[in-house]
Amino acid sequence: MHFLSSSVSKPMLSSRRDHQGAETQQDAGEDTETQEMPENLMSTPWVRCLILACGNTLRGDDGIGPFLCSWAGERFAGEPGVQTIARQQWTPDLAQDIANAESVLFIDCAVDLGPGQLLLRQIKAAPPAAVSTHHSGAAELLRLAQDLYNATPRRACLLTIGAGSVDLGEEFSAPMQAAIPNAKGLLELTLRQLLRRPTV
């Protein structure tokens, strides 16, 4: 669980759990400059979309990230270009996975959003001074991928869901349970947009 970082760009999409219509149809982000694969990553299989979730499954709504990551892994099991990773915390070693991905979708819960509220944002790499050597947010991991491997995903998004409770326990709060269908729908829509090949 992380607070939304100031290094995150302006919101792409925000929707309450009872609003999913036309506003969820917005694209998952504009393409940035296409980069060639660095030589030090040539031996690693290229990933079209990396889903990177953060959360503690023993802390109530904090486990929504790993839950959605697992669901997406099953939903897109037939898509070889999709890779899913769920961690209790995001750590610097994930920078190589990010550098190897064409696009990345981060998933986390947030205590500074209303319970069950969905927020999808396009993100950019944090300034170098913001990087931690112990645990990192999404923007900091993008910076590490750039600094260590000279590579960043073509598109990067952060999906956060407002937590109703992060008390000890494996059950989601009522607002989070009500938000799960819309969260799955938004996650699938975003992932399909990220997998879409850019037109020439």
Side-chain angles (χ1 to χ4, degrees), residues 35-156:
Q35 301 180 4
E36 294 183 358
M37 188 187 302
E39 292 184 1
N40 58 348
L41 295 177
M42 284 296 219
S43 61
T44 308
W46 190 249
V47 176
R48 289 188 61 197
C49 185
L50 171 65
I51 302 173
L52 194 54
C54 176
N56 186 341
T57 58
L58 299 179
R59 282 283 184 178
D61 292 352
D62 194 34
I64 189 62
F67 172 84
L68 291 173
C69 185
S70 176
W71 176 85
E74 295 177 2
R75 182 71 171 175
F76 288 86
E79 174 55 67
V82 174
Q83 179 184 5
T84 59
I85 300 176
R87 295 278 184 88
Q88 187 167 315
Q89 287 188 329
W90 288 324
T91 50
D93 62 291
L94 293 168
Q96 182 172 357
D97 296 286
I98 293 170
N100 185 54
E102 182 178 348
S103 60
V104 59
L105 175 59
F106 298 91
I107 309 174
D108 197 4
C109 84
V111 296
D112 50 356
L113 291 177
Q117 183 179 0
L118 306 179
L119 182 63
L120 178 65
R121 293 174 180 251
Q122 183 179 1
I123 58 172
K124 299 178 180 179
V131 175
S132 168
T133 57
H134 299 290
H135 60 272
S136 307
E140 288 75 23
L141 286 173
L142 290 173
R143 168 52 58 185
L144 279 174
Q146 176 64 48
D147 291 347
L148 296 178
Y149 300 100
N150 193 31
T152 52
R154 182 168 52 86
R155 291 183 288 182

